[in-house]
Amino acid sequence: MNKVVNLLVAIQSVLLTTLPDVICAQDAPPDGYVTRREYEELKAQMLAMKKELDAIKKEREAAAPKEDRVENRAVADVPKQVTPEAPPQVPLPAVQPEGLLGTTKFLLAGWADGMFEARNGQVSTFSASFNPIFLWELTSKLLFDSRLEIEPSGGGTNVNLVNAQISYLLNDYIALGAGEFFSPSNVFVERFEPQWINKLPDRPLAVYHGILPNISIGAQARGGFPIGRTRVDYAFYVSNGPVLNTFDPRRAGTLDFNSYTDNNDNKAVGGRVGFLPVPGVEVGYGFETSKPGFQGTSFSRVQALVQTVDLEVTRDSDLLKGRVNLFAQYAWSRVDHAVYDPDGSLGFGPLAFTSKHDGGYAEIAYRPTKLDNDFLRNLEMIFRWDHLSRDPSGLGDPEETRWTLGLNYWLSPSTVLKAAYEWDQPNAEPNRSALLIQMAMGF
């Protein structure tokens, strides 16, 4: 394009230079001069070339960058001073203030599972459940979380509200919550209960058998803070207390944590403190104290204390070519001395004793995550021991110990196929060993 323009400019200059001479010769004889007709033809050609040159200039200016057009205008108009244009400003996104209703950041998570259980002495059966978890961020500090448990039952479907809690992030070290929440002293329920996280198809003894609370309704404060290279996390709560069982001879002296309304003005107080000395290792201590007896009865001053210790270890081992997980928790429950069925009207008293229960579990899992074979890398082996004992002075089952061996295959990071066999021989009861197969998916 530049070469064509330069050529046209040169031709135009030559024509403009020779044009006066040509004009002067328009009536002269033909010796050494052009005729009138030749002049008119040459003039027409010149005007056409000039018109074409102007068109080419316009096209070039239209296609050139804005800075080039400014520069061309400056050359054409020397007296004018052209100020270079400022670089374009990129507009910044406007910060929207949080309105009265906050934001609408919402997330649906949860899990689903299907299970087959063949337990000795019982009819084998399939079961399924769906557990959606609803998470809502109202503002950057105000949060809400809730979980439903949906499962078939008989000819219908059971829908249970598992938890529903409003939380306020006070600062980097304290979060306040109110509602229905997982009891911090029960580490398994709070951290490992989802079936795609729980490494075995069923849940361990003790944490679901009246020793530890599962769900609490009340208020809590929790958080964590560093101490040098270590870290401490904590959770303390006030909630409706458990109910002391006094009417059933096989359950006398035990605590019922499934009654979510309190039976007296006294409230349960509990919490847990965890210590992380090195990454991947945590030890914890939890407790709950309450007065579980009905108000206005002889049990109203009976005191109950639950204590628990827990351990969690996660290690990647080059020697073992994989990852090792160790989880353990043990709990003790004690209810003060009391006389059950004091007048004998229930048919098993008077029966006086101090109720004591203890139980827990230890679980180790190994997955060869560092092997080159994809099939072997997705396998995981699990072994669990769990135990539940009761003081022989009570009328409940005195002791139960189980051993469970499991093998998992991970179809994806949150989808697992589990198979386990459980040896279960309670004292003075028939064998309850079981084959368990489960598929679970988290989302």
Side-chain angles (χ1 to χ4, degrees):
M1 176 68 73
N2 292 334
K3 292 181 179 180
V4 174
V5 173
N6 293 336
L7 178 60
L8 292 176
V9 172
I11 294 174
Q12 183 182 14
S13 301
V14 172
L15 291 175
L16 292 176
T17 304
T18 59
L19 185 60
D21 297 334
V22 174
I23 294 174
C24 293
Q26 58 182 340
D27 296 323
D31 298 342
Y33 296 94
V34 296
T35 65
R36 179 75 181 183
R37 182 176 61 82
E38 291 174 340
Y39 163 76
E40 294 294 338
E41 291 177 354
L42 186 61
K43 180 180 177 182
Q45 292 176 5
M46 185 201 72
L47 293 176
M49 294 176 65
K50 185 176 184 301
K51 185 177 180 180
E52 184 178 357
L53 177 62
D54 293 337
I56 292 175
K57 286 183 178 181
K58 291 180 179 180
E59 292 178 0
R60 186 182 179 188
E61 288 181 358
K66 187 175 183 181
E67 291 79 1
D68 294 343
R69 296 199 297 271
V70 174
E71 183 178 353
N72 292 338
R73 288 197 302 269
V75 174
D77 193 5
V78 176
K80 295 181 180 180
Q81 299 295 325
V82 179
T83 303
E85 293 186 1
Q89 299 294 324
V90 179
L92 297 176
V95 178
Q96 299 294 336
E98 293 180 347
L100 294 177
L101 298 180
T103 63
T104 56
K105 295 181 180 179
F106 177 79
L107 175 66
L108 175 64
W111 79 88
D113 68 89
M115 181 169 167
F116 173 76
E117 178 178 355
R119 188 172 295 276
N120 187 43
Q122 300 180 12
V123 178
S124 62
T125 184
F126 286 95
S127 61
S129 71
F130 172 51
N131 290 257
I133 300 175
F134 305 93
L135 305 171
W136 183 31
E137 181 181 305
L138 181 62
T139 70
S140 59
K141 289 182 174 293
L142 195 58
L143 314 173
F144 174 79
D145 66 279
S146 180
R147 176 185 139 199
L148 297 178
E149 183 179 55
I150 307 172
E151 57 185 4
S153 176
T157 301
N158 284 340
V159 179
N160 297 319
L161 178 65
V162 179
N163 79 290
Q165 178 181 214
I166 300 173
S167 300
Y168 181 75
L169 306 182
L170 190 61
N171 53 45
D172 293 340
Y173 308 102
I174 303 176
L176 305 178
E180 185 178 8
F181 51 87
F182 299 108
S183 300
S185 58
N186 196 331
V187 176
F188 180 88
V189 173
E190 191 176 57
R191 301 183 183 181
F192 308 124
E193 185 185 46
Q195 291 296 350
W196 68 278
I197 298 177
N198 180 15
K199 296 185 179 297
L200 288 171
D202 66 345
R203 301 175 175 97
L205 291 171
V207 297
Y208 285 92
H209 289 77
I211 296 182
L212 285 174
N214 300 335
I215 302 294
S216 298
I217 297 181
Q220 66 170 328
R222 62 190 309 147
F225 51 88
I227 302 179
R229 296 185 177 182
T230 67
R231 181 176 176 82
V232 171
D233 55 55
Y234 66 89
F236 298 103
Y237 63 93
V238 178
S239 68
N240 293 335
V243 173
L244 179 64
N245 291 311
T246 60
F247 301 102
D248 185 350
R250 293 187 60 83
R251 301 178 61 201
T254 63
L255 299 175
D256 182 5
F257 293 101
N258 295 320
S259 181
Y260 297 141
T261 57
D262 213 337
N263 60 354
N264 55 46
D265 291 332
N266 182 267
K267 296 295 176 278
V269 177
R272 178 186 176 274
V273 176
F275 177 60
L276 293 80
V278 295
V281 177
E282 181 177 1
V283 293
Y285 167 78
F287 73 96
E288 181 179 289
T289 179
S290 63
K291 291 183 177 180
F294 280 90
Q295 189 165 313
T297 68
S298 59
F299 301 100
S300 61
R301 295 187 178 183
V302 172
Q303 189 80 29
L305 175 64
V306 175
Q307 299 182 85
T308 176
V309 293
D310 60 83
L311 171 66
E312 180 180 349
V313 179
T314 300
R315 276 286 182 265
D316 285 324
S317 172
D318 293 331
L319 179 63
L320 299 177
K321 300 292 185 180
R323 184 175 63 246
V324 178
N325 295 105
L326 173 63
F327 308 125
Q329 185 173 14
Y330 208 86
W332 298 265
S333 172
R334 184 184 186 278
V335 179
D336 286 348
H337 186 275
V339 179
Y340 299 87
D341 189 19
D343 56 6
S345 60
L346 300 177
F348 66 91
L351 182 63
F353 63 91
T354 300
S355 178
K356 298 179 181 179
H357 303 80
D358 64 273
Y361 75 97
E363 177 182 291
I364 186 169
Y366 166 71
R367 183 177 175 185
T369 54
K370 297 181 182 294
L371 294 182
D372 296 330
N373 186 285
D374 290 339
F375 177 80
L376 296 178
R377 190 166 56 243
N378 291 328
L379 290 175
E380 186 173 29
M381 294 170 285
I382 306 99
F383 173 76
R384 185 185 69 195
W385 167 89
D386 53 339
H387 172 78
L388 175 64
S389 67
R390 293 173 178 170
D391 194 303
S393 62
L395 296 180
D397 301 334
E399 186 172 317
E400 182 177 0
T401 301
R402 302 189 308 191
W403 309 81
T404 307
L405 186 63
L407 181 65
N408 296 346
Y409 185 80
W410 289 89
L411 301 172
S412 77
S414 62
T415 305
V416 59
L417 179 62
K418 311 176 191 177
Y421 191 82
E422 189 172 82
W423 291 268
D424 186 2
Q425 181 62 66
N427 285 3
E429 289 191 10
N431 182 296
R432 292 206 295 243
S433 299
L435 171 66
L436 308 170
I437 299 175
Q438 184 186 63
M439 187 172 185
M441 174 186 291
F443 57 89

